[in-house]
Amino acid sequence: MSLSKSVLLPRLAVNAVISRAIQTTAKAQSGHHIEYYWGHERAAGREIVGHGVSGEPTYQDRLDYWYPALRFRVDDATISPLRQKEKSDWKNLTPEEKKLLYRYSFKQTLAEFEAPNGYWKLIASICFSVLSLATFYAVLLNHFVYPAIPPTFDNDYKEAAVERMLVLEKGQFLGPAKYYDYENNRWKK
Amino acid sequence: MEKWPADRFDKHFIDYLSRPEIDGWEVRKALSELHDFDVIPAPKVVEAALRACRRVNDYSLTLRFLEAIKIKCGTGKNRELVYGYIIDQVKPVLDELGISTPEDLGLHKPELFIPQAEYWWERKWYKEYGYDKKPGYEF
C-alpha cells in the first residue's frame, strides 16, 4: 500500500487541493506473476502414492529414486476389480493379473530399464560419416589445392643441415655439437 | 546414519515398517531411504518390507522392491549370488504371502520395448502408437 503524494513530498502538496490522501486499493506493484502450475494436469488423474524424486506429481523411472510419486496409469475399469482382489489374499491372483498390476503402477521393469536400446549404432554411424567427410575434404585439399612445400622439409635436407651445424658450431655448448662425440665420430651415448 | 552398526540400522527400518498403521506413502518413504544407502537390505529388513506392502495392499510394490534389491547388488555375478541368497532366505515369507518373484512372472527379461520419445523412431512405430493419423504426422 503506497503512500499518497502529499505525505511523500510535503513541500509539493497544495493545501487548497485535497488530493486523495487515502489509498483505498492495496495493490502490490511487482512485475512477477506466478505461472500456471501444470503439475496436476500432467498427472491426469493418476493416483499419487509417494514422494518420488522431488515431491512433484511426475512419473520418472530412475535408478536412484526407484519408487515414483505416481502410478503410471489412470485407474480404469480393468484395474479397479483387480485392486479390490488385491486387498484379499495374494495367492488368488494369477500371474497375468500380477503382471497387469505391475504394468498399471510402473512403466518399465528393471530388465527393460537397463536393456540396451541400440541407439548407439545410429549415433556412431553419424559420427563416423561426419569424420570421413572431413577426412575426404582434407585429402582433396592437400591433393588439388595447396601449393608445393619448399625442399627444406625433406629428410635429406634436414640431415644435411644437422651435419653443417656440427661442422660450423663445433665447440658450442648448445645445438647438435653438444651431443656429438668428435673423437670417435659418432653421437654421444 | 551410514555409520550406525548393522543391527541398529536394521532395527530402525524394521521398527518403522512393522507399524500396523503404516500408509502407502510411508512404505515408499522407507524403501526410498533404504535405497539411498549403499547397502543391500538384510533378509530381516526384506521380510519387514514385504509384510508392510501386504498391509497396504500393494502387490506391485513388492515386485518393485525385489527389483530394487537387484539394483543394490550391482551387476552380473553379484546379482546371482547375493540376490539368490536373499530370495532363499526370504522364501518362507514369499510363500506365506503368495508373492511371486519377478523371475517367476518372466519379468527378469525385457518384455516390452518403449521407444524414447526424443530419439529416432522407425516408421512402423508411428502406426503402432497411433500417430500416423494425427495432423502433421502423415507421410
Side-chain angles (χ1 to χ4, degrees):
Chain A
M1 184 145 155
S2 60
L3 301 169
S4 72
K5 285 203 201 107
S6 55
V7 179
L8 279 175
L9 302 162
R11 301 275 170 80
L12 294 180
V14 179
N15 292 329
V17 175
I18 301 175
S19 55
R20 217 165 26 118
I22 305 171
Q23 279 278 9
T24 48
T25 56
K27 198 155 178 159
Q29 295 175 8
S30 79
H32 175 72
H33 302 281
I34 302 171
E35 297 98 22
Y36 183 71
Y37 175 59
W38 290 102
H40 301 298
E41 299 220 10
R42 294 182 78 161
R46 298 182 277 181
E47 191 189 343
I48 297 180
V49 281
H51 183 85
V53 177
S54 58
E56 309 270 327
T58 38
Y59 182 92
Q60 196 187 6
D61 276 330
R62 46 186 285 186
L63 279 177
D64 46 354
Y65 290 94
W66 187 233
Y67 309 97
L70 301 171
R71 299 211 185 267
F72 180 53
R73 294 180 72 164
V74 183
D75 285 342
D76 55 6
T78 43
I79 198 70
S80 307
L82 269 184
R83 288 272 153 84
Q84 292 301 318
K85 202 172 165 191
E86 204 182 2
K87 291 185 180 153
S88 63
D89 202 357
W90 286 343
K91 296 192 179 78
N92 302 332
L93 294 171
T94 66
E96 283 74 27
E97 291 172 347
K98 290 177 178 173
K99 274 193 192 176
L100 202 65
L101 280 170
Y102 190 87
R103 291 289 177 195
Y104 263 81
S105 290
F106 302 109
K107 181 176 166 198
Q108 284 184 312
T109 66
L110 181 64
E112 290 161 9
F113 188 71
E114 292 180 328
N117 57 8
Y119 280 111
W120 66 271
K121 297 172 202 162
L122 178 69
I123 296 168
S125 57
I126 292 174
C127 283
F128 288 140
S129 46
V130 169
L131 284 173
S132 63
L133 281 174
T135 311
F136 180 63
Y137 181 60
V139 167
L140 279 182
L141 283 179
N142 276 311
H143 189 51
F144 290 115
V145 174
Y146 294 147
I149 51 174
T152 52
F153 283 89
D154 306 331
N155 281 332
D156 294 334
Y157 189 97
K158 289 191 239 183
E159 284 171 15
V162 170
E163 281 182 30
R164 183 168 175 266
M165 286 162 87
L166 283 176
V167 167
L168 289 178
E169 294 166 16
K170 179 172 174 177
Q172 297 286 355
F173 59 93
L174 295 173
K178 179 182 169 200
Y179 299 101
Y180 193 72
D181 191 359
Y182 283 97
E183 276 87 40
N184 301 326
N185 278 333
R186 58 162 190 223
W187 292 102
K188 284 186 189 169
K189 294 285 181 282
Chain B
M1 201 167 145
E2 56 273 7
K3 297 197 181 54
W4 284 1
D7 40 356
R8 184 173 171 210
F9 185 85
D10 292 343
K11 183 174 176 305
H12 176 91
F13 282 101
I14 295 173
D15 285 345
Y16 190 80
L17 289 164
S18 308
R19 292 161 41 214
E21 71 275 7
I22 202 166
D23 188 17
W25 184 286
E26 294 178 345
V27 173
R28 284 163 200 257
K29 172 192 155 70
L31 294 181
S32 297
E33 292 193 351
L34 189 56
H35 201 74
D36 276 341
F37 292 101
D38 185 18
V39 70
I40 305 175
K44 287 263 175 304
V45 179
V46 173
E47 184 192 328
L50 294 174
R51 289 194 195 279
C53 293
R54 171 69 264 190
R55 243 172 278 132
V56 300
N57 299 320
D58 199 342
Y59 181 76
S60 44
L61 195 55
T62 63
L63 289 175
R64 198 78 167 168
F65 177 56
L66 292 173
E67 287 182 339
I69 305 176
K70 250 198 210 168
I71 297 175
K72 286 279 140 190
C73 289
T75 54
K77 202 142 176 236
N78 209 21
R79 269 194 193 174
E80 297 165 20
L81 286 172
V82 183
Y83 178 71
Y85 165 74
I86 291 195
I87 292 294
D88 289 336
Q89 295 284 308
V90 151
K91 205 97 179 56
V93 183
L94 294 179
D95 294 332
E96 180 196 332
L97 297 176
I99 302 172
S100 348
T101 63
E103 283 74 27
D104 296 337
L105 297 175
L107 293 178
H108 63 293
K109 289 273 180 287
E111 191 188 15
L112 304 175
F113 171 67
I114 299 176
Q116 298 189 26
E118 292 87 18
Y119 270 60
W120 182 70
W121 278 27
E122 295 184 23
R123 243 171 216 251
K124 57 180 165 64
W125 297 350
Y126 287 101
K127 192 157 188 319
E128 281 171 15
Y129 282 89
Y131 273 99
D132 57 338
K133 298 291 182 291
K134 296 201 175 172
Y137 284 94
E138 302 96 347
F139 44 79

